[in-house]
Amino acid sequence: MDIYDIELREIKVGGFNLEDIDGLCHVKSLPYLSVVRVVEGNYFFGLDNKNPEFTGEGGLFIAPSNRIQTIVHKINSNTGRMKADWIFIDASVNGSFSFDEVFIFPQRISVHMSVKWHEIFDEIKLVDNICDKKILGYRLIKLLISVGTEIPLFNNEDISVVCRYIRDNYSKNIKVKELADILNMSESNFYAVFKRYVGLSPISYINNCRLSAAAKLLICSQTKIKEVAARTGFKDPYYFSKVFHAKYGNSPKDYRELNRRFK
């Protein structure tokens, strides 16, 4: 893909310093690309139930958005604590695709390779305005690109236009015919072309956009679950809960509670 624009749409920073979590296991998925560093203790971390690894104290792991993470927390045996920091980013490529739809990243950044990453983490904890946070966020994106591998999939500008339309209108009742009409295609031809380039059916891509937006609202707001469903394009809150659980492994209520404990 000819990358001509990367937009950092959102950045969040957090962390914890706790004593009561040795052996605690989380299986979860987040709507953000997560970069997490271990200051004290250790993580045993894997994606999609495959190839779990220890980060090592001072190491980092990278978790793409909407992937199943298995995380086991291990305290530092000397201090009795575990301390970790994270940066969540939501970035788009060429106005259409999520940053981590376009690149594959290594699961772990080892301690001896992590100096520049630690510099960003240390600096971002000290800034108190969004401009400085975004500057550091772009530095982090640059590091991610340096260790990432581009996926040779998203090479169709027409499909980029459709994906941008979906991201701008996911809360509406989007029909496949409406998307096909944008490219003057039949529904069947459009369906085949979209799935070839994106790897998902149009409906699956729409639902992924909706569910990702819903997950962000659950983590970052007090919006009632019924309203979260309505605002992200789900008319039926029961159907919303069903598809949300299928994707994220928790009900919307449990997902909200789980991901707020470590804020």
Side-chain angles (χ1 to χ4, degrees), residues 50-119:
K50 298 177 183 177
N51 303 319
E53 300 178 78
F54 280 108
T55 58
E57 192 163 280
L60 302 97
F61 72 77
I62 302 169
S65 63
N66 300 310
R67 298 277 296 279
I68 300 299
Q69 306 175 31
T70 301
I71 303 171
V72 179
H73 304 73
K74 300 296 293 181
I75 62 171
N76 179 301
S77 58
N78 294 320
T79 66
R81 294 190 306 267
M82 183 174 185
K83 184 177 181 181
D85 302 318
W86 60 78
I87 301 173
F88 297 160
I89 63 173
D90 177 8
S92 66
V93 176
N94 294 356
S96 301
F97 300 106
S98 292
F99 183 56
D100 50 4
E101 286 179 329
V102 178
F103 291 93
I104 298 173
F105 305 105
Q107 184 168 288
R108 181 175 66 93
I109 303 295
S110 62
V111 176
H112 74 280
M113 295 291 290
S114 63
V115 174
K116 291 182 179 180
W117 303 75
H118 280 286
E119 289 175 356

Side-chain angles (χ1 to χ4, degrees), residues 195-214:
K195 190 165 186 179
R196 182 168 74 246
Y197 280 99
V198 179
L200 296 170
S201 70
I203 296 301
S204 293
Y205 189 83
I206 292 167
N207 274 342
N208 275 355
C209 290
R210 290 172 173 167
L211 290 169
S212 182

Side-chain angles (χ1 to χ4, degrees), residues 115-131:
V115 174
K116 291 182 179 180
W117 303 75
H118 280 286
E119 289 175 356
I120 292 173
F121 271 91
D122 290 338
E123 289 181 46
I124 206 165
K125 291 170 67 177
L126 300 176
V127 302
D128 59 2
N129 66 81
I130 189 60
C131 293

Side-chain angles (χ1 to χ4, degrees), residues 95-185:
S96 301
F97 300 106
S98 292
F99 183 56
D100 50 4
E101 286 179 329
V102 178
F103 291 93
I104 298 173
F105 305 105
Q107 184 168 288
R108 181 175 66 93
I109 303 295
S110 62
V111 176
H112 74 280
M113 295 291 290
S114 63
V115 174
K116 291 182 179 180
W117 303 75
H118 280 286
E119 289 175 356
I120 292 173
F121 271 91
D122 290 338
E123 289 181 46
I124 206 165
K125 291 170 67 177
L126 300 176
V127 302
D128 59 2
N129 66 81
I130 189 60
C131 293
D132 288 336
K133 280 185 181 179
K134 282 204 167 185
I135 289 169
L136 291 163
Y138 277 110
R139 282 174 55 188
L140 180 60
I141 286 173
K142 186 176 180 181
L143 279 178
L144 286 163
I145 291 173
S146 74
V147 299
T149 302
E150 187 176 338
I151 302 170
L153 184 64
F154 304 104
N155 294 311
N156 187 299
E157 288 302 316
D158 288 338
I159 295 300
S160 294
V161 170
V162 173
C163 288
R164 186 181 301 115
Y165 180 85
I166 292 171
R167 289 184 177 277
D168 289 342
N169 296 279
Y170 62 80
S171 63
K172 301 176 182 177
N173 185 23
I174 302 174
K175 302 292 188 183
V176 174
K177 184 180 186 306
E178 178 183 349
L179 301 176
D181 286 347
I182 293 173
L183 302 185
N184 295 314
M185 287 184 174

Side-chain angles (χ1 to χ4, degrees), residues 225-237:
I225 292 171
K226 184 177 180 179
E227 178 65 18
V228 168
R231 286 174 58 178
T232 54
F234 294 98
K235 294 182 179 179
D236 183 347

